[in-house]
Amino acid sequence: MIISKPCTTMKGVIVQPYSWEKEVTVDLKKTAECLRNNGYEVRSVIPKMLAIAVIDGYETSIYPSGKIIVKELTDIEMGKEIAKKIIECAGLSELLDG
């Protein structure tokens, strides 16, 4: 399942994939490579810390915990759609079913 809510510290949407069965972890290098291969701009990758990509015109921060912050976005549903692209690239598609 994915949980989405407005960010309280800045204009944006926070999306967090969650699993009852296993800890969610994202390989940032692998995910960034997949995003590049899908035509998205990846601005930086700091392994085990943070990746920054531009998806559908929005700067997006991706963390190893799976937390995704879509900056400057207020539409929660659009935030979920952007996050789904990242979650699929992270190899965590099974979390989208819940």
Side-chain angles (χ1 to χ4, degrees):
M1 94 172 93
I2 58 174
I3 300 165
S4 182
K5 63 182 182 176
C7 184
T8 58
T9 58
M10 67 178 184
K11 185 177 176 184
V13 173
I14 298 174
V15 183
Q16 179 78 48
Y18 182 80
S19 171
W20 293 102
E21 289 83 35
K22 68 176 188 171
E23 181 180 356
V24 175
T25 57
V26 173
D27 180 327
L28 297 175
K29 288 172 71 174
K30 179 184 131 193
T31 302
E33 183 178 321
C34 175
L35 289 170
R36 276 189 193 105
N37 291 340
N38 287 335
Y40 299 108
E41 176 188 356
V42 176
R43 292 192 173 161
S44 66
V45 178
I46 304 169
K48 299 184 182 185
M49 189 172 180
L50 168 73
I52 299 173
V54 177
I55 301 173
D56 297 342
Y58 293 96
E59 185 174 280
T60 306
S61 299
I62 308 159
Y63 297 90
S65 66
K67 181 165 93 173
I68 299 163
I69 300 175
V70 185
K71 298 175 184 170
E72 299 298 318
L73 181 67
T74 56
D75 182 336
I76 290 176
E77 290 306 312
M78 186 171 179
K80 286 181 182 180
E81 292 304 312
I82 290 171
K84 286 178 183 179
K85 296 171 185 178
I86 296 166
I87 292 166
E88 288 170 355
C89 271
L92 299 169
S93 296
E94 72 274 6
L95 299 180
L96 299 175
D97 297 332

